[in-house]
Amino acid sequence: MRIAVIGGGINGVMSAWALRGRGHEVALFERGVLMGATSGASSKLLHGGLRYLEQGDVRQVYEGLHERRWWMQRAPELTRRVELFLPLYSHAPHGRLALDAGLTVYDLLAGRATLGHHRWWGAQKLPARASGLKRDGLRGTFSYWDAQMDDAALGRWAADRARDDGVVIHEDTDVTHITRDGELRTAHDVLRFDVIVNVAGPWASALLDASGIPSHTRLDLVRGSHLIVSRPIEAGFALNLPSDGRLVFVLPHHRRTLVGTTEVRQTLDEPVACSAAEREYLVDAYNTFFVSAIRDVDIETTFAGVRPLVDSGKSAHAQRRGETIEVEGCVVSVFGGKWTTSRLLGERVADVVRNAE
């Protein structure tokens, strides 16, 4: 079949690659450049998502941990394991036993895909790489292992593999309208396909609305902002904020430090940029935990991306990160999805297309 994939983020690329692997003729259309939006503005982690265990989303965590290994095995030059410290203070919402149980489940779910087991460090025996933590109220810290990536480069690596396998990629090509019977319009062409896969991320619902195609899924658009701080850090930290209970990461990043992320609801009409309030929030989050405080002068740059979460009516923090796939005529639409599990999402899209034949 001739299939069009709309969206050059990681989920679009991996869907196109999976469809081509099933023998289809695949063309991918991206309005800008590959990985130029959300997929290139993540927290740079390949992970199961430790906090998803709190939501009971064991399947999401399991899949993430095993897909993490897939990426690391195939692109070792763009991925690396990273040690993360999870400090426990007297004000923490969870005690040592609860955190230990969660990390034990995280280790068990990884199974043979583990990058290392978690351990406990008492406040009086912190390793040097965690010595920058404030000691007031510190009971100790857990350490565990996940992986980091260069998201934009890793996404382009996947796109190159898809292109090598025969996927035709059109960048700077905005799809303005699609129909239930397979017509696709750009500013310059009207094309026909057997199937159109709408993986436009934050713009997936907007494309359907503009095309008059109904949908039962609503997206909750959430901006995640990050700071790049001009100082190196040896290990990573997962910080449970006393102010709102959210988890903020402090991570090594090209001999600098990445601090993120926020969760602020966003519309497609608003600029995707770190606001002054988010900047202040992340600086305060860092300074709550570390002896050596950061100031505005230490911030080299900021970046932000919009996560398209499937709306469940919950707070942004409580929304699940899985995907929903809908079929309307010849149009397959994908809502949501997570960077680490994008390969699995692509295979599921290919399965839906096969079942619809």
Side-chain angles (χ1 to χ4, degrees):
M1 289 194 296
R2 294 187 70 240
I3 300 178
V5 174
I6 303 169
I10 190 58
N11 287 326
V13 166
M14 298 309 285
S15 295
W17 193 5
L19 287 162
R20 180 57 189 156
R22 306 288 179 94
H24 301 296
E25 181 183 337
V26 183
L28 183 147
F29 298 86
E30 162 55 40
R31 63 189 292 182
V33 298
L34 296 175
M35 308 299 140
T38 302
S39 294
S42 75
S43 297
K44 323 300 181 189
L45 283 173
L46 289 168
H47 62 146
L50 181 62
R51 72 181 180 90
Y52 304 149
L53 289 177
E54 189 176 356
Q55 302 170 353
D57 203 346
V58 175
R59 176 183 173 183
Q60 179 75 50
V61 175
Y62 175 85
E63 291 178 347
L65 290 170
H66 288 263
E67 289 300 292
R68 177 185 69 182
R69 179 173 65 171
W70 187 91
W71 288 105
M72 295 184 76
Q73 287 178 338
R74 283 156 182 79
E77 70 281 8
L78 298 173
T79 60
R80 71 181 190 96
R81 77 173 194 152
V82 61
E83 185 180 27
L84 292 167
F85 287 94
L86 180 61
L88 177 62
Y89 284 84
S90 56
H91 56 64
H94 304 294
R96 178 177 171 180
L97 289 178
L99 292 177
D100 191 32
L103 288 164
T104 297
V105 172
Y106 203 66
D107 290 343
L108 290 173
L109 289 173
R112 296 177 64 183
T114 184
L115 299 179
H117 296 291
H118 79 280
R119 64 171 294 182
W120 169 256
W121 306 82
Q124 304 307 315
K125 295 183 179 180
L126 292 184
R129 54 196 180 280
S131 60
L133 289 169
K134 289 182 177 178
R135 300 303 178 98
D136 187 23
L138 180 64
R139 297 169 57 190
T141 179
F142 287 99
S143 63
Y144 69 101
W145 295 89
D146 256 320
Q148 284 188 288
M149 61 170 170
D150 182 330
D151 51 9
L154 188 56
R156 289 191 293 267
W157 171 90
D160 287 342
R161 304 291 83 72
R163 190 183 282 112
D164 290 344
D165 285 349
V167 175
V168 178
I169 297 177
H170 305 275
E171 295 182 274
D172 299 313
T173 306
D174 190 11
V175 174
T176 58
H177 191 273
I178 56 177
T179 66
R180 294 177 74 259
D181 62 356
E183 184 177 279
L184 179 151
R185 301 177 194 170
T186 71
H188 306 290
D189 295 296
V190 177
L191 306 168
R192 295 205 67 86
F193 294 89
D194 299 306
V195 175
I196 296 174
V197 180
N198 169 24
V199 203
W203 298 272
S205 292
L207 177 60
L208 294 178
D209 291 343
S211 302
I213 297 176
S215 170
H216 302 292
T217 302
R218 293 191 306 131
L219 284 177
D220 187 8
L221 303 182
V222 178
R223 182 174 71 246
S225 293
H226 303 77
L227 312 178
I228 302 297
V229 179
S230 59
R231 64 176 63 173
I233 193 169
E234 186 177 350
F237 293 82
L239 307 175
N240 208 319
L241 300 188
S243 58
D244 56 14
R246 290 190 61 253
L247 205 63
V248 167
F249 290 102
V250 174
L251 302 166
H253 181 72
H254 299 300
R255 298 182 182 177
R256 293 169 177 80
T257 298
L258 181 152
V259 184
T261 182
T262 58
E263 290 177 319
V264 178
R265 286 195 161 93
Q266 167 104 20
T267 68
L268 291 178
D269 298 327
E270 295 177 288
V272 183
C274 179
S275 67
E278 289 172 289
R279 188 181 179 112
E280 181 180 357
Y281 174 88
L282 292 173
V283 168
D284 287 346
Y286 183 97
N287 291 344
T288 296
F289 290 89
F290 292 96
V291 174
S292 181
I294 58 173
R295 300 173 298 161
D296 274 352
V297 69
D298 298 311
I299 300 172
E300 285 193 1
T301 188
T302 66
F303 68 90
V306 179
R307 297 185 290 270
L309 307 180
V310 175
D311 191 356
S312 63
K314 299 180 180 180
S315 67
H317 178 61
Q319 299 280 31
R320 298 204 176 198
R321 267 43 177 182
E323 77 278 355
T324 295
I325 301 175
E326 288 187 3
V327 179
E328 185 69 28
C330 295
V331 177
V332 176
S333 293
V334 180
F335 305 93
K338 189 170 177 287
W339 216 112
T340 307
T341 53
S342 56
R343 186 192 70 88
L344 278 182
L345 183 147
E347 293 296 332
R348 288 169 182 152
V349 168
D351 288 341
V352 168
V353 169
R354 180 191 61 198
N355 294 334
E357 288 182 39

